[in-house]
Amino acid sequence: MLYQCFLLLSAFIFTKAQMPDRIIFPDTDDFETECTLVDGEQGMCRNIKYCPSAFDSRERVRTCYFEGFEQFVCCRDVPKASPASRACSSYYPSVEHMVGGLNTRPNEFPYMVALGFETMLPDFYEFKCGGALIAPNFVLTAAHCARVGGATPTVVLPGGGSLTDYAVKKHKISDVLIHPGYKSKEAYNDIALLKLKESIRQFQPACVGENTLLDNENITAIGYGHTLFGGRSSDDLLKAYLLVVSNKECQKHYEDATELPRGLMNAQLCAEDRQFGRDTCQGDSGGPLILYSAFVPYVVGITSFGFGCAAGTPGVYTRVSMFLDWIEPIVWPKS
């Protein structure tokens, strides 16, 4: 019996030694490591979620290793970092460490802004939408927030604090840029940029970038929206933890949506809170969906529309990564 066990063990060792291209489990998995692509070029081991080349049908993907259920693949590096990536590196050069919405901590979301619309009273504004500071002089928001009832926002209140904090300076908007493909009766291309008259230096912008695969990711929605459907808006910033659901699953809830005559598109994403029923609501429009990657906040979505609030239907958001070709030449024209 002992002899038989020895033979089995020997066969197992021999078989493992002959296996080509074994999956490697590294001793240290906190950092990217070099690897060799199928065509012999040099690449970097990277989480497949953040490797655009892995989703190119012409690319053969080689696995580096697994961290639990997370697959790391040999990723083809982009020769030149995009303007958005270079901007993000300057914002975060060294990082070491709603309906039913939860209260936020002071300065938890410094890149959050509220969009102010003029009223009959001088120097008094009505805040109807949200947005995210993505550069010192640019705010990212929804296209339907850039023109509400024929009016455009004239100021932004930065910092993600209370709407009644009059110590925070309001910054004037110099230009409103709506995506050329947006139509007011549809939810497609629901994205806009607000250029500010002067840069905001006291609050840190958020990043935008390539976020290839988001299904089942945990993300954070923030906004000043209604705390109940049909209720009043919150003066304080709220947050909700949501889960991204696939467009295929989400489409079932929007079969008859007049805002989506061609169904959900790749430039949109859906998210919901299945456990506590938290959701974005009116007034949250234009606010960001945040994904944290190595503690860096990325704006991956913009609150667009939905059926009711916390009604058991996922909310629909604009997928920011699909609009980088439009955003980058405007925000970083010389990069």
Side-chain angles (χ1 to χ4, degrees), residues 170-190:
K170 300 176 182 69
H171 288 255
K172 292 186 177 180
I173 297 169
S174 65
D175 201 3
V176 176
L177 305 164
I178 299 174
H179 191 278
Y182 175 70
K183 297 178 182 179
S184 60
K185 294 183 179 180
E186 297 180 358
Y188 305 119
N189 305 305
D190 192 8

Side-chain angles (χ1 to χ4, degrees), residues 229-251:
F229 182 61
R232 67 179 298 275
S233 296
S234 169
D235 289 333
D236 297 316
L237 185 63
L238 302 175
K239 65 183 176 182
Y241 300 122
L242 306 178
L243 183 74
V244 177
V245 299
S246 70
N247 280 19
K248 182 179 180 180
E249 181 181 344
C250 186
Q251 177 64 47

